Amino acid sequence: VYCLSEVAASHFDTFKKALPPGFVAVNSKSGGGDRLQILFDGKRFALLEQKELMQHRQFELNNGTHRSPMCVRLKDKDSKVEFIVMVNHLARGNADLRTKQAIGLREWARDQSVAVINIGDFNLDYDFHTQRGNDAFPEMLRDNVYEWVKPIELIDTNWADRDGDGKDNYPDSMLDFAFVAGQAKNWKPACRVIVRDGDFPDDKTTSDHRPIELRLAP
């Protein structure tokens, strides 16, 4: 399963064509020019449900100008195990909304009856030195509903050089996370940041984020 947290709608088919035949793409409708996409092996998994969430119960997940969390419920055709995969890109410039989104995602996960895998760009600003994130970070982890699958090695996942001095404005920090809830906590989750030669600093042909890989053993 591949989760993409920032995709131009015009590129949806590009990513699907890069994968072997049989992969299914689920694309978000919210987000304007930057959308969400989940791609999964249709030969292995059956799609039971797909949805985007504006809110869960009384908890706000999108104020109408951002990306809504998107999820699919899949069933392994061989083992019959069902689980939910969600992809997110939480608010960057709206700290209040981002915190509300984190609370809503936590409460949504609390209410699910199957394993939950939640991955994407959460904009939580986790600093390697202080071992703290912004206000949304502790809300994601409150009550141990979610477990953060901390990468084996902490590696910067985002390059930002807004002042153009050639240096990362946010070194030694993470914006991209993998969380698991419910039965997925028992699936031996392991995460790593994928580093490729020349990936940072990014240019017009490369991403400003490094991908993360989550492995599970149901």
Side-chain angles (χ1 to χ4, degrees):
V1 181
Y2 295 88
C3 297
L4 305 175
S5 60
E6 188 171 353
V7 185
S10 59
H11 289 170
F12 280 151
D13 289 340
T14 302
F15 290 103
K16 184 179 179 182
K17 289 177 180 177
L19 295 171
F23 269 77
V24 178
V26 177
N27 307 319
S28 73
K29 296 179 180 178
S30 64
D34 292 322
R35 310 282 185 90
L36 305 174
Q37 185 175 44
I38 297 175
L39 303 115
F40 64 90
D41 186 350
K43 296 178 181 178
R44 178 174 179 181
F45 302 112
L47 176 62
L48 304 180
E49 184 181 22
Q50 66 184 73
K51 62 173 62 176
E52 290 183 63
L53 304 174
M54 288 293 291
Q55 74 177 64
H56 175 70
R57 291 194 269 126
Q58 74 272 29
F59 303 105
E60 184 178 27
L61 292 168
N62 187 354
N63 63 4
T65 62
H66 291 73
R67 305 169 185 86
S68 292
M70 185 177 74
C71 62
V72 296
R73 182 164 176 154
L74 302 177
K75 181 177 182 178
D76 187 298
K77 294 179 180 180
D78 291 332
S79 69
K80 310 305 179 185
V81 171
E82 296 183 19
F83 59 98
I84 294 172
V85 177
M86 173 177 273
V87 63
N88 271 284
H89 194 148
L90 300 193
R92 173 70 273 179
N94 188 331
D96 180 61
L97 175 60
R98 182 173 59 241
T99 300
K100 289 179 180 178
Q101 288 176 313
I103 295 170
L105 290 175
R106 182 191 70 224
E107 295 309 307
W108 169 84
R110 193 194 301 271
D111 291 341
Q112 302 312 304
S113 60
V114 298
V116 172
I117 301 159
N118 198 342
I119 196 165
D121 178 0
F122 290 83
N123 280 315
L124 299 179
D125 297 317
Y126 181 81
D127 184 277
F128 298 167
H129 303 291
T130 65
Q131 298 184 42
R132 298 181 64 181
N134 56 39
D135 290 345
F137 180 70
E139 293 298 344
M140 283 293 298
L141 298 177
R142 193 177 301 280
D143 297 339
N144 296 314
V145 175
Y146 274 119
E147 175 184 313
W148 173 29
V149 187
K150 197 171 185 178
I152 299 167
E153 181 182 359
L154 289 176
I155 297 173
D156 198 332
T157 65
N158 172 244
W159 179 275
D161 181 19
R162 294 184 178 88
D163 53 13
D165 65 355
K167 297 180 180 179
D168 188 357
N169 296 147
Y170 305 98
D172 298 330
S173 66
M174 293 190 72
L175 300 181
D176 306 276
F177 293 79
F179 297 98
V180 291
Q183 188 62 29
K185 292 181 180 180
N186 300 323
W187 291 354
K188 300 178 181 178
C191 180
R192 72 182 180 103
V193 179
I194 298 174
V195 179
R196 294 164 294 182
D197 290 340
D199 56 3
F200 284 176
D202 65 299
D203 57 33
K204 293 181 180 180
T205 65
T206 60
S207 175
D208 59 346
H209 285 256
R210 287 181 171 132
I212 59 173
E213 178 187 70
L214 174 67
R215 287 182 174 269
L216 302 116

